[in-house]
């Protein structure tokens, strides 16, 4: 069974440009999460989808970030316009979703974003 | 919010040695996971262990939920064990948010 996949693996863009990251969760997983690790900081939660609905977006830093999960399958995270402080590694995770919180979250390999 | 502290921050071991990594957390948790971030940056699940003890090969973990700590044991370490080990917890709440809070990690270097 395929794990969580993310695309692209790396992205280098200039300040002010737009970047869209994609995450494909493990097949059948209702819960999808975005996290990020910016330089020198801990891995931080961004948001959580249950199927196509945003369950918790308390970690989204500002309105330059837009996450979608149309149809409840893959998700995209768009940063527009990108700023220097957005550089870091963006992780996606998924979990099965049984109505309880006691589930393992499986992480993807991450997208390394560098904003110049 | 919940605080997660990992110790030690850095650890250097000779191949074949044993080690214990610690994770302290400041509040009750629903979920606790240990991850290994390999040199390529991938986060590999090691254990889902909100309480109790689990073993997987040379690795084992114990979480004492009532005392708010978890330990990861690595026996007979190998160079492939090198990387950063993260502890992450989901605070206990009825809010329906499953967000994990990560510690800063323990960087392990196993030398031949």
């Amino acid at each position: 069974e395929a794990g969580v996949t993310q695309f692209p693996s790396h992205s280098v863009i200039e300040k002010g440009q737009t970047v869209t990251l994609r995450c494909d969760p493990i097949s059948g997983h209702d819960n999808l999460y975005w996290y990020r690790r910016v330089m020198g900081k801990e891995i931080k939660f961004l948001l959580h989808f249950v199927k196509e609905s945003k369950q918790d977006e308390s970690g989204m830093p500002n309105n330059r970030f837009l996450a979608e999960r149309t149809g409840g399958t893959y998700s995209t995270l768009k940063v527009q316009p990108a700023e220097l402080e957005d550089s870091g590694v963006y992780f996606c995770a998924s979990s099965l979703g049984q109505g309880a919180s006691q589930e393992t979250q499986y992480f993807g390999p991450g997208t390394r974003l560098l904003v110049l | 919010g919940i605080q997660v502290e990992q110790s030690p921050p850095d650890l250097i071991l000779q191949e074949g040695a044993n080690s214990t990594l610690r994770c302290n957390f400041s509040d009750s948790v629903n979920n606790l996971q240990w991850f290994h971030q390999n040199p390529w940056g991938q986060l590999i699940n090691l254990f889902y262990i909100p309480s109790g003890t689990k073993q997987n090969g040379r690795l084992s973990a114990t979480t004492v939920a009532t005392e708010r700590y978890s330990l990861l044991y690595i026996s007979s370490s190998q160079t492939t064990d090198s990387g950063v080990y993260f502890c992450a917890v989901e605070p206990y709440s009825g809010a329906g948010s499953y967000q994990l809070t990560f510690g800063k990690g323990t960087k392990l270097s196993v030398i031949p």
Side-chain angles (χ1 to χ4, degrees):
Chain A
E1 178 181 319
V4 178
T5 57
Q6 294 186 243
F7 181 83
S9 58
H10 296 77
S11 181
V12 181
I13 61 173
E14 293 187 351
K15 176 182 172 181
Q17 291 186 321
T18 297
V19 62
T20 300
L21 314 180
R22 172 171 172 144
C23 169
D24 286 78
I26 293 171
S27 178
H29 280 197
D30 286 341
N31 290 312
L32 187 149
Y33 314 83
W34 284 97
Y35 293 82
R36 74 171 182 176
R37 186 180 194 187
V38 295
M39 194 64 68
K41 303 283 189 180
E42 297 94 327
I43 299 171
K44 295 282 193 183
F45 168 83
L46 295 178
L47 88 160
H48 167 208
F49 284 99
V50 178
K51 298 184 180 178
E52 67 276 8
S53 300
K54 291 177 184 174
Q55 177 74 15
D56 178 1
E57 50 184 333
S58 61
M60 295 288 265
N62 52 61
N63 60 9
R64 296 185 294 103
F65 289 75
L66 176 63
E68 294 180 322
R69 193 183 182 195
T70 306
T73 54
Y74 71 90
S75 175
T76 58
L77 180 65
K78 180 189 287 187
V79 185
Q80 179 181 30
E83 298 289 345
L84 300 179
E85 63 264 24
D86 301 331
S87 297
V89 183
Y90 289 76
F91 293 101
C92 176
S94 72
S95 67
L96 187 58
Q98 297 288 330
S101 66
Q102 298 167 2
E103 297 182 341
T104 300
Q105 293 186 26
Y106 297 92
F107 279 69
T111 293
R112 283 143 191 80
L113 175 64
L114 179 59
V115 182
L116 302 176
Chain B
I2 195 167
Q3 303 298 312
V4 182
E5 294 184 1
Q6 291 187 245
S7 59
D10 295 277
L11 184 60
I12 300 175
L13 294 178
Q14 199 79 37
E15 197 169 25
N18 302 328
S19 63
T20 301
L21 282 57
R22 186 175 180 106
C23 172
N24 291 335
F25 44 96
S26 60
D27 210 341
S28 300
V29 299
N30 276 333
N31 179 5
L32 187 147
Q33 291 183 235
W34 282 98
F35 297 90
H36 175 214
Q37 187 172 40
N38 62 23
W40 296 270
Q42 293 181 298
L43 283 170
I44 309 298
N45 279 296
L46 297 177
F47 294 103
Y48 167 84
I49 188 165
S51 63
T53 297
K54 290 185 178 180
Q55 180 155 6
N56 184 4
R58 295 182 296 102
L59 302 181
S60 64
T62 295
T63 297
V64 184
T66 53
E67 297 188 20
R68 299 181 183 167
Y69 73 88
S70 183
L71 302 174
L72 178 68
Y73 306 96
I74 304 173
S75 64
S76 304
S77 58
Q78 300 176 358
T79 55
T80 51
D81 295 331
S82 296
V84 183
Y85 289 80
F86 289 102
C87 169
V89 304
E90 175 204 337
Y92 177 80
S93 82
S97 172
Y98 304 166
Q99 58 175 280
L100 292 176
T101 299
F102 282 76
K104 293 184 177 181
T106 291
K107 183 177 180 182
L108 175 65
S109 301
V110 181
I111 56 178

